[in-house]
Amino acid sequence: IGFIPDDCLHYLPFAAMNYRGRYLTEGFSIFYLPSASWLEQSAAGKPRPGRRILAFGDPDLQDETLDLHHAAEELKRIRKQGDMVLLNKQASEMRAADPLSDFDVLHFAVRGQFTAADPLSSGLLLTPGGGRDGTLTALEIFRLQYQGRTVVLSGCETAPDKDPEARSFTVLQRAFLHAGTSSVVPSLWLVGDRASSYLLEIFYRQFERNKTAAEALRTAQLRLIREGYPPHVWAAFIVTGKY
């Protein structure tokens, strides 16, 4: 089941809505689209197989209040042979600008910067250096070329109080889709480290079985529901794009 939300509905975790006394995700795989014009493209076959990951985690932002200490554990749990994990100083904007075609998945366990007044300046906070300021902006992402299966944004903490229309949050997703990825899997809010790591570990296991992002996320959500996790844990992630 697909949703094309508008305005503040972008922040709504539809997976946790009630459906005949159960959660909506228990009945359907759920995906979001940025607009109706994406519908035909999103239904056009399954994305290519493969799950080789390029992951960025806990970049060196020279501000302890911005550290994501859970990122190393998260990336440790999802890492397989052939993946590349870049932490701290290595998790740089300069590295994100390199050719990315060798990887099927881009995983960013980093904070987002959301600017409602200028959505295109919103971006992902990475380690600065090499002539780059450390913010991979939506405008820069639009210019990337990346034909991978999905992009996971696990460290995002949206700001509905400052951006009630979700303009800055949605522009990041549009940017990655425009760059060529089949889907984007962002978080609507920050989740506890162990819980998010567990959910994403299950998500990537399903990817190894060549499931789509929506199918893989639903499987992970159902597992957490069965194990008694509350909705604020498993409903934090959504899938935008190809279902």
Side-chain angles (χ1 to χ4, degrees):
I1 185 170
F3 293 92
I4 306 172
D6 185 41
D7 206 272
C8 61
L9 292 179
H10 285 286
Y11 296 120
L12 182 65
F14 289 99
M17 291 179 63
N18 183 283
Y19 172 70
R20 297 182 178 178
R22 306 172 71 190
Y23 295 115
L24 191 62
T25 193
E26 294 181 87
F28 304 93
S29 293
I30 297 169
F31 67 97
Y32 291 56
L33 292 176
S35 68
S37 63
W38 286 85
L39 185 58
E40 182 177 356
Q41 180 180 349
S42 69
K46 288 193 174 185
R48 71 183 191 186
R51 58 130 281 167
R52 191 180 182 211
I53 300 171
L54 172 61
F56 298 79
D58 194 21
D60 183 7
L61 303 179
Q62 300 178 352
D63 182 346
E64 292 184 0
T65 65
L66 297 176
D67 289 347
L68 289 174
H69 299 292
H70 71 277
E73 177 63 24
E74 176 179 306
L75 300 185
K76 179 180 179 181
R77 294 188 69 159
I78 67 173
R79 184 175 187 174
K80 299 289 184 182
Q81 185 175 1
D83 295 342
M84 179 178 291
V85 171
L86 304 173
L87 290 167
N88 308 126
K89 291 186 180 298
Q90 291 185 325
S92 66
E93 183 192 359
M94 184 170 62
R95 181 62 183 85
D98 289 346
L100 305 169
S101 58
D102 289 341
F103 298 94
D104 307 296
V105 179
L106 299 183
H107 186 112
F108 292 92
V110 306
R111 291 190 181 274
Q113 173 179 281
F114 300 107
T115 309
D118 182 14
L120 287 176
S121 70
S122 301
L124 303 174
L125 300 181
L126 299 166
T127 303
R132 297 181 177 270
D133 63 5
T135 302
L136 182 64
T137 67
L139 183 59
E140 292 169 329
I141 295 167
F142 269 112
R143 295 167 178 163
L144 292 178
Q145 293 185 3
Y146 177 64
Q147 305 291 324
R149 290 183 68 187
T150 197
V151 175
V152 176
L153 309 176
S154 70
C156 290
E157 185 173 17
T158 55
D161 56 330
K162 299 177 181 178
D163 185 9
E165 296 179 350
R167 295 176 64 208
S168 55
F169 175 60
T170 56
V171 76
L172 275 181
Q173 299 172 64
R174 287 175 177 266
F176 277 114
L177 291 172
H178 184 271
T181 188
S182 296
S183 61
V184 184
V185 184
S187 58
L188 297 173
W189 55 81
L190 281 178
V191 187
D193 52 357
R194 291 183 179 179
S196 62
S197 298
Y198 182 41
L199 183 143
L200 289 169
E201 182 181 7
I202 300 169
F203 172 83
Y204 280 119
R205 285 180 194 165
Q206 303 309 307
F207 244 40
E208 288 184 284
R209 300 174 185 175
N210 203 31
K211 288 192 175 183
T212 65
E215 293 168 340
L217 182 60
R218 177 173 182 256
T219 299
Q221 290 174 333
L222 293 178
R223 172 75 69 83
L224 268 65
I225 290 171
R226 289 197 300 268
E227 296 183 9
Y229 285 85
H232 77 263
V233 172
W234 52 260
F237 288 87
I238 64 172
V239 172
T240 298
K242 189 180 290 291
Y243 60 89

